[in-house]
Amino acid sequence: MIIEAKQFIKQNFSPFIKFLDEMFPNTKIVLTKLKSSKTAEELYAESILLFFISFSFFVIFLTTLLSAITLNQAFALLSSLFSAFIFSFLISFIYILSPSIQLKSRASKIEKELYFSLPIFSSFISDKTPLHISIKQFCETNKEYLLAQELEEINKMVELGGVDLITAINRKILVSPSEKLANILTGLASILKGGGSVSEYMKIKSDEIINEYRQKIRESGRKIGLFFQIYIIAFVIGILLFLILTSVFSLISPIPNLLLIQFFIVCIAIPLLSIMMVILVKSFLP
């Protein structure tokens, strides 16, 4: 049923699919980097199908809800049509962007892992051992790293596809989700072409990425320290002063619902602010 609906949309909405293809020119590249079997045209057809399904659902749901609340069917229908169009458009738009979001998420994970996985990979490199053998050894013993999963594709192209190592690396550069990893592989391919020392190159890259990680830790430490000072001064001390002062003033002149206000601040406001602070601090970690 869904496959038939997608085929119907492809046939009857081809001008709009071409328009979407022009609006999102990077979708094909993104899907290739994600190794998705889905084409850009299929993604756009699915987004259009999703729009119609969600639009129908929201129209029925909102019309029923608003009719019961307002008792005005004309107003309920018009409001539902407008709201359903907005919600459905946003859902379809997010669905089209979902591959790009996935790719950025994977690239971010790879680049965070590079601070640990690249020095480990560098330790496997030796000028006396063929590079594809070193890559294979690293991938077999460090499967938990995304870097190993990315490099495994190079090894497969060499061993199963009969491609030379430089060509395999260049192909991987084109579909690498991480720009930082692509730059490292580009330098590696250049070293191989020029006959330079691969182990020396990887040692330099490992030292660079370790120094970058140390710099980020120092910067994160400064930011976290600053935010903790703001949190303690503005929130903790400020809230304590507020509680003390309101308690003192209530002895002079009664304040309505004082206990309820203080309960809200102590049991709801402070925990919520603390959770927000933890999330904010976590975002600063490299």
Side-chain angles (χ1 to χ4, degrees):
M1 184 69 179
I2 295 175
I3 296 173
E4 292 173 355
K6 283 166 62 176
Q7 290 296 329
F8 176 81
I9 288 171
K10 282 183 182 180
Q11 292 172 2
N12 295 274
F13 290 85
S14 55
F16 188 66
I17 290 174
K18 289 180 181 178
F19 170 75
L20 289 174
D21 196 32
E22 292 174 359
M23 287 289 293
F24 302 97
N26 294 327
T27 302
K28 291 179 181 178
I29 298 171
V30 170
L31 291 172
T32 301
K33 289 186 176 183
L34 284 174
K35 307 173 195 67
S36 175
S37 58
K38 189 184 299 181
T39 64
E41 289 76 14
E42 287 177 342
L43 179 72
Y44 301 140
E46 288 173 0
S47 70
I48 295 169
L49 178 61
L50 184 62
F51 174 85
F52 285 122
I53 293 172
S54 58
F55 181 78
S56 302
F57 169 78
F58 281 122
V59 166
I60 296 169
F61 174 74
L62 293 174
T63 302
T64 306
L65 180 66
L66 293 175
S67 296
I69 295 172
T70 63
L71 302 177
N72 187 329
Q73 292 184 353
F75 171 78
L77 181 60
L78 289 173
S79 300
S80 300
L81 287 171
F82 177 76
S83 301
F85 178 82
I86 297 297
F87 289 143
S88 302
F89 175 80
L90 289 174
I91 290 170
S92 298
F93 183 71
I94 292 170
Y95 185 77
I96 291 173
L97 292 180
S98 60
S100 297
I101 295 169
Q102 292 176 30
L103 185 67
K104 287 180 181 178
S105 175
R106 184 171 178 83
S108 177
K109 289 178 182 178
I110 289 172
E111 289 173 5
K112 284 182 179 179
E113 280 190 1
L114 278 177
Y115 297 124
F116 309 100
S117 58
L118 191 66
I120 295 172
F121 174 55
S122 177
S123 67
F124 281 82
I125 304 297
S126 171
D127 290 331
K128 297 179 180 179
T129 306
L131 182 57
H132 73 278
I133 299 296
S134 300
I135 291 173
K136 184 178 181 180
Q137 291 172 347
F138 169 75
C139 294
E140 287 176 349
T141 55
N142 295 276
K143 293 179 180 179
E144 69 276 11
Y145 288 116
L146 291 174
L147 177 61
Q149 297 174 20
E150 295 294 320
L151 294 179
E152 179 65 23
E153 295 176 20
I154 296 174
N155 199 49
K156 285 180 179 178
M157 281 188 273
V158 173
E159 293 189 346
L160 302 178
V163 179
D164 65 275
L165 185 58
I166 296 174
T167 302
I169 292 173
N170 287 329
R171 287 182 182 177
K172 182 58 192 172
I173 290 167
L174 295 175
V175 297
S176 173
S178 167
E179 186 177 347
K180 186 178 288 187
L181 177 58
N183 290 336
I184 292 170
L185 293 177
T186 301
L188 187 60
S190 299
I191 292 293
L192 288 171
K193 285 180 184 178
S197 173
V198 175
S199 61
E200 187 65 26
Y201 169 77
M202 291 306 303
K203 184 178 182 303
I204 292 170
K205 282 296 177 183
S206 296
D207 291 340
E208 286 178 1
I209 209 159
I210 289 170
N211 291 332
E212 181 184 330
Y213 184 65
R214 288 172 179 166
Q215 181 65 25
K216 284 191 174 184
I217 289 176
R218 284 193 289 267
E219 290 176 1
S220 298
R222 285 196 293 267
K223 289 177 181 178
I224 290 169
L226 177 63
F227 272 96
F228 266 118
Q229 291 175 16
I230 294 171
Y231 175 76
I232 291 170
I233 294 170
F235 294 113
V236 178
I237 296 176
I239 289 171
L240 286 174
L241 285 173
F242 174 80
L243 294 173
I244 293 168
L245 290 173
T246 51
S247 299
V248 171
F249 284 127
S250 67
L251 298 174
I252 302 170
S253 176
I255 300 173
N257 300 320
L258 176 62
L259 288 176
L260 184 62
I261 294 169
Q262 290 180 337
F263 174 82
F264 174 80
I265 291 171
V266 172
C267 297
I268 298 176
I270 292 178
L272 283 175
L273 288 171
S274 300
I275 292 169
M276 289 173 61
M277 186 64 188
V278 170
I279 294 171
L280 191 63
V281 167
K282 190 177 179 181
S283 69
F284 286 123
L285 296 176

